[in-house]
Amino acid sequence: CRAHGTRRLVYSGTGGALFGEPSYLPVDEAHPIDPISPYGVSKHTVEHYLFAYGYTHGLEYVVLRYPNVYGPRQDPHGEAGVVAIFALQMLTGQQPVIFGDGSKTRDYCYVGDIVEANVLALNSPAGGVYNLGRGIEVSDLEVFEAVRAAVGADVAPVFAPVRPGEVEHIALDASKAERELGWRWKMGLSEGVAAAV
């Protein structure tokens, strides 16, 4: 960025893995940061580099801490992206797997809303760190049911052991992004899941 005169960098951070087990929900940017997975640690490390380069070299940056992003064309072959994974499994006659008892919650936000946040961050005079999300906890079982309804499948999930290092509950307070960037989510979960399917 320094070598090429980059004016502003917008970083795709994480809100889901950053805070560890939260002491309140939805979490705002002032919440303590205690990641419990290497992924969360690595994403937060970049925030420190951005601060250092901003302070030392004047690099403008915006950190957007993403919730669980989903939508059309999401790759269902990785370990992340449960909407796409469930959709592929149901559409191909497989039985979806839920890790834990289905009560784990995440904050789900449609990709189109996240794209809008990036465009606003790129063109805004504001800078710094912003949570994105709907501020609504959605359980794994609720996501499963939304995908099942969109697919029109008659299938039950298989429950598997919880994976280590996963936060049990998270939702993100995006009121700072609304105030300073003019961003607010628009797409509801059932409509978004239907579009993804």
Side-chain angles (χ1 to χ4, degrees), residues 60-177:
E60 287 184 30
Y61 68 90
V62 178
V63 173
L64 298 178
R65 292 176 175 164
Y66 288 6
N68 280 39
V69 182
Y70 71 95
R73 297 183 300 281
Q74 186 171 27
D75 183 1
H77 299 292
E79 61 182 44
V82 71
V83 171
I85 292 168
F86 283 168
L88 177 67
Q89 289 171 334
M90 289 183 203
L91 289 166
T92 58
Q94 301 172 55
Q95 196 168 18
V97 177
I98 292 178
F99 295 95
D101 63 4
S103 64
K104 184 175 86 254
T105 60
R106 297 287 182 267
D107 191 338
Y108 287 86
C109 199
Y110 187 71
V111 67
D113 290 333
I114 298 299
V115 168
E116 181 185 8
N118 278 267
V119 172
L120 289 168
L122 187 62
N123 296 303
S124 172
V129 178
Y130 300 93
N131 287 348
L132 301 179
R134 298 185 314 137
I136 301 169
E137 290 183 75
V138 179
S139 73
D140 290 348
L141 210 46
E142 288 174 293
V143 172
F144 172 84
E145 289 166 356
V147 174
R148 182 171 60 184
V151 171
D154 182 17
V155 64
V158 173
F159 294 94
V162 174
R163 294 181 286 193
E166 286 202 342
V167 173
E168 191 63 27
H169 301 287
I170 192 72
L172 305 174
D173 179 347
S175 56
K176 181 182 174 191

Side-chain angles (χ1 to χ4, degrees), residues 45-58:
T45 299
V46 176
E47 293 188 16
H48 288 290
Y49 279 114
L50 289 171
F51 176 82
Y53 272 76
Y55 183 86
T56 308
H57 302 290

